Amino acid sequence: MQTNLRGRDFIGDLDFSKEEVEQVLELAWDLKRKHASGESHALLRDKTLAMLFFFSSTRTRGSFEAGMAQLGGHAAFIESRTTQISHGDTEKELGAIYGRYFDGIAIRHVDWDIGNRYLNLVAEASRVPVLNMQCEIYHPHQCLADLMTIMEHKGRDLRGKKIVVSWAYASSYLKPISVPQSLILQMPRFGMDVVLAHPPEFPLMPEIIKQAQEQARAHNTAFDIVDSMEAGFEDADVVYAKSWGPLLTTTDPDAGKQLQDKYQDWITDDNKMSLAKDDAIFMHPLPADRDIEVTNAVLDGPQSVVIDEAENRLHAQKAVMALTMS
Ligand code: CP
């Protein structure tokens, strides 16, 4: 497949044009078919990927690592605390030196006001692509898998379909805002009408909202913000309800928890799902706080596509790696 993606970083969702995202998805479906039928697809034979983690992961690590092996290459899992970063290695050393060892550098760094800048500084110093495994602003590979999953369930033409991206209560920790931000940036480009639902203390970044509104205008789709789950779920084709921290209001974990605790009724249950279309799908990137963010009945129920969504991380990321690192 001929594309202009070779050597390109993928840090923000809009780094790839809509047409480039379509090319990624075409290859992802081809690789998914080949994986299912056992057909070899070693597009990155002898290539290596550094996976640098500053934060825990189940799906992201597993899918990037399995994906590189299936493409004929190797992924090195590097936990940041086991490196010399705390002893002086800066983004410059990481980018320049790992850029000489590896064919790609993937990074997860979700620390507020630090992660995205870290990725961009590594990218400046690196001669190989930098892939965002989640920062505090974007989770672009999750969003590609989400788009792929929505198309598999709702068809390739998503014009007129409504997605609600809703805040949900969680008691575990202040989760990053990167998933909802990536969704509201990417989905309008594929024709979806977006409704963002959250309590007043849980806004997303104003510059991301502005960009999402611009995308909606450019693609002639709707973009609305509401302050109740019920209003958001009304007639939705896709319910994407997850928690995020009130990070624009406070980054203090205790103050944030107090704010979260005000909204314990923001849980996706069968009653709220009944407000959406009868054939609506429920999405969540996982991990979810079970019976707190979403009931077990919904998460494990017939409308839930969360396992398909997690599987598609593998296929979407293999396509991005093959196109940027070959
Ligand atoms: N959805 C997601 O990124 O999962 P992990 O945090 O387990 O990688």
Side-chain angles (χ1 to χ4, degrees):
M1 182 187 278
Q2 285 297 315
T3 73
N4 288 322
L5 292 172
R6 187 163 185 262
R8 295 260 297 277
D9 301 321
F10 190 42
I11 296 175
D13 297 86
L14 305 184
D15 290 353
F16 292 177
S17 69
K18 176 179 186 252
E19 291 69 31
E20 288 167 341
V21 170
E22 285 168 345
Q23 291 167 348
V24 168
L25 294 184
E26 285 308 322
L27 180 58
W29 276 307
D30 184 43
L31 295 177
K32 185 172 183 173
R33 274 190 299 275
K34 287 184 167 131
H35 182 60
S37 63
E39 191 179 330
S40 176
H41 48 281
L43 301 179
L44 292 180
R45 192 184 301 283
D46 299 332
K47 302 273 183 179
T48 55
L49 175 74
M51 301 188 303
L52 177 59
F53 280 88
F54 291 82
F55 191 71
S56 52
S57 166
T58 303
R59 282 146 289 272
T60 303
R61 178 189 173 179
S63 51
F64 269 99
E65 194 164 330
M68 271 306 285
Q70 291 164 17
L71 290 168
H74 172 74
F77 172 66
I78 301 163
E79 211 285 334
S80 63
R81 284 170 299 185
T82 67
T83 69
Q84 299 282 31
I85 289 171
S86 65
H87 297 153
D89 277 335
T90 69
E91 299 89 336
K92 275 194 180 151
E93 283 80 35
L94 255 297
I97 296 169
Y98 276 8
R100 304 251 183 127
Y101 297 161
F102 295 98
D103 301 289
I105 304 172
I107 305 175
R108 167 170 281 197
H109 198 330
V110 300
D111 287 359
W112 190 249
D113 257 353
I114 296 174
N116 183 263
R117 182 178 147 77
Y118 190 93
L119 267 79
N120 278 291
L121 289 172
V122 172
E124 269 177 36
S126 166
R127 66 184 186 185
V128 300
V130 169
L131 305 180
N132 185 353
M133 296 195 293
Q134 189 178 21
C135 67
E136 80 279 29
I137 301 178
Y138 308 109
H139 199 351
H141 291 92
Q142 176 69 54
C143 195
L144 289 182
D146 295 339
L147 180 58
M148 194 174 165
T149 308
I150 293 170
M151 287 181 169
E152 286 174 349
H153 286 271
K154 295 290 166 195
R156 301 280 183 101
D157 181 5
L158 296 175
R159 185 151 292 279
K161 301 282 185 203
K162 172 182 166 178
I163 180 170
V164 55
V165 178
S166 178
W167 185 84
Y169 175 62
S171 56
S172 53
Y173 73 108
L174 307 188
K175 302 188 183 195
I177 61 175
S178 44
V179 167
Q181 296 205 141
S182 285
L183 287 166
I184 67 170
L185 289 172
Q186 192 71 271
M187 295 308 163
R189 302 207 292 178
F190 290 86
M192 294 201 85
D193 295 327
V194 175
V195 177
L196 176 66
H198 62 76
E201 300 92 338
F202 293 79
L204 302 182
M205 295 169 71
E207 55 270 40
I208 297 292
I209 296 290
K210 186 163 168 281
Q211 286 179 49
Q213 287 166 333
E214 286 165 4
Q215 290 301 323
R217 262 194 302 277
H219 295 278
N220 202 22
T221 60
F223 179 81
D224 295 295
I225 303 178
V226 298
D227 62 4
S228 88
M229 259 187 154
E230 286 80 359
F233 278 39
E234 196 77 47
D235 282 333
D237 297 279
V238 177
V239 172
Y240 203 121
K242 76 169 301 293
S243 191
W244 63 84
L247 299 166
L248 276 293
T249 307
T250 178
T251 52
D252 176 75
D254 295 330
K257 172 113 178 62
Q258 276 187 15
L259 288 176
Q260 291 199 156
D261 285 347
K262 285 169 60 179
Y263 299 104
Q264 297 189 25
D265 57 336
W266 284 61
I267 178 172
T268 303
D269 56 17
D270 286 327
N271 282 340
K272 293 202 187 75
M273 282 302 291
S274 71
L275 299 170
K277 293 219 174 96
D278 290 343
D279 62 350
I281 55 173
F282 173 79
M283 301 184 74
H284 192 296
L286 304 178
D289 288 22
R290 279 181 172 266
D291 270 336
I292 295 173
E293 277 183 90
V294 50
T295 60
N296 284 328
V298 171
L299 192 60
D300 301 326
Q303 288 171 284
S304 174
V305 297
V306 297
I307 304 301
D308 294 345
E309 195 181 348
E311 178 191 334
N312 281 335
R313 294 289 305 275
L314 175 72
H315 310 300
Q317 289 159 195
K318 282 167 71 177
V320 172
M321 292 190 287
L323 292 170
T324 59
M325 291 168 56
S326 57

